[in-house]
Amino acid sequence: EYAVLAPYLKETAAIIYQINQGVKEQNSVSLINALKELNESGTISLDEDNLNSQASQHPNLIPLGFTIMFMMFAISSSVSSIHLEYKDYTWQRLLSSPIHKVYVLLGYFIAYFLLGWLQLGVLLTVLSVFFNMYLGNLILIFLFGSFVIGLVVSLGFMIATLSHTKKQTEIFSAIIIVGTCMLGGVYWPLDIVPDIMKKISMAIPQTWMMSGFGEIMSGTVNHSILLLDTTVLVAFTIVFMIIGLKSIRSY
């Protein structure tokens, strides 16, 4: 992970090799003494800075992961109220109006999108102010956070439209959210899981959410990685929205 250290290691290895070649005809004590002198020559101190001369951060993403999980539960619970509108015939009246169901879905999407940003904004502010958590570039946080919220809302719509009752929506949401958070690196870093779990995590939206936020909050943004994370989130969002749109019932 410390690429800047590689040249020093290679140089040291080359010096040791040259010393070994120079004293190999002599007894081993000469090599030991030479290595002792090399060892006493000093130590290397590394200070990694980003382009803004701000110390690079290695953020603890677990609090942010739980923030995402709580937001997913809140939005999913809010979207599940669509079944109450089924019961009160509000949904049927909306779909029987001249408005296309795409615009109906878009209206709900915007409402829950704003709700999601309200919750995420408050939680990020708390993490920054009270827990002194470095958030990185706020513009990138806003843009990437918007894609994350869009995906969460589309997932909630998909679950709600595929379910037949509000209770089913709540149960399916709990199973899906908790399960995907476990596989997506929300509860623990993916570095500690087996390789097979890492491969499975590539199909989990939370994996790309955590990757994108981690890249932004590290202080040194690799834009190619961030673009990949964003592209995957947009793809998930489109798929979930299409499934939700096709699953809308008018009864």
Side-chain angles (χ1 to χ4, degrees):
E1 296 180 0
Y2 299 96
V4 70
L5 193 57
Y8 295 99
L9 295 177
K10 292 179 181 179
E11 181 180 354
T12 302
I15 293 174
I16 294 175
Y17 177 78
Q18 293 172 3
I19 293 174
N20 182 50
Q21 293 297 313
V23 300
K24 66 180 181 179
E25 301 298 335
Q26 306 176 26
N27 55 39
S28 60
V29 177
S30 300
L31 177 59
I32 294 176
N33 292 335
L35 291 177
K36 285 183 178 179
E37 292 183 6
L38 180 64
N39 188 51
E40 294 172 357
S41 62
T43 58
I44 299 173
S45 177
L46 297 179
D47 185 15
E48 185 180 358
D49 293 338
N50 60 20
L51 296 178
N52 296 323
S53 298
Q54 183 175 18
S56 178
Q57 305 289 326
H58 300 281
N60 178 13
L61 296 179
I62 299 301
L64 179 64
F66 278 95
T67 297
I68 293 175
M69 183 190 70
F70 292 141
M71 181 185 67
M72 294 180 74
F73 273 115
I75 293 180
S76 179
S77 177
S78 300
V79 175
S80 66
S81 63
I82 190 175
H83 292 286
L84 298 178
E85 299 186 6
Y86 282 148
K87 184 177 180 180
D88 295 336
Y89 296 99
T90 303
W91 189 253
Q92 291 87 330
R93 290 195 294 271
L94 277 174
L95 295 185
S96 62
S97 65
I99 302 175
H100 195 277
K101 64 180 180 180
V102 172
Y103 297 106
V104 175
L105 187 62
L106 183 61
Y108 279 89
F109 181 88
I110 294 174
Y112 292 119
F113 177 85
L114 295 177
L115 176 64
W117 247 122
L118 177 63
Q119 183 175 11
L120 182 61
V122 170
L123 292 175
L124 288 178
T125 301
V126 170
L127 290 176
S128 176
V129 175
F130 295 99
F131 295 95
N132 198 29
M133 188 172 182
Y134 178 71
L135 298 181
N137 189 312
L138 295 182
I139 296 178
L140 292 179
I141 283 288
F142 175 79
L143 293 175
F144 189 76
S146 297
F147 287 111
V148 169
I149 295 173
L151 186 147
V152 173
V153 174
S154 63
L155 175 63
F157 266 115
M158 184 188 71
I159 296 174
T161 54
L162 289 176
S163 306
H164 290 82
T165 63
K166 189 173 186 297
K167 196 67 176 178
Q168 280 186 1
T169 303
E170 294 173 352
I171 294 174
F172 291 154
S173 296
I175 295 174
I176 293 174
I177 292 174
V178 173
T180 53
C181 283
M182 293 176 66
L183 296 172
V186 170
Y187 298 149
W188 46 72
L190 291 176
D191 295 336
I192 65 174
V193 303
D195 291 339
I196 183 64
M197 301 301 293
K198 292 179 181 178
K199 293 179 180 179
I200 295 175
S201 69
M202 301 298 288
I204 304 300
Q206 286 90 327
T207 302
W208 306 94
M209 296 180 191
M210 300 295 287
S211 174
F213 276 122
E215 194 65 31
I216 297 173
M217 296 168 63
S218 68
T220 53
V221 180
N222 187 326
H223 290 89
S224 60
I225 295 178
L226 187 60
L227 179 61
L228 175 61
D229 296 332
T230 303
T231 302
V232 174
L233 292 184
V234 171
F236 273 117
T237 302
I238 293 174
V239 171
F240 293 156
M241 288 295 289
I242 291 175
I243 296 175
L245 186 62
K246 290 185 175 296
S247 303
I248 289 180
R249 301 186 305 276
S250 58
Y251 54 88

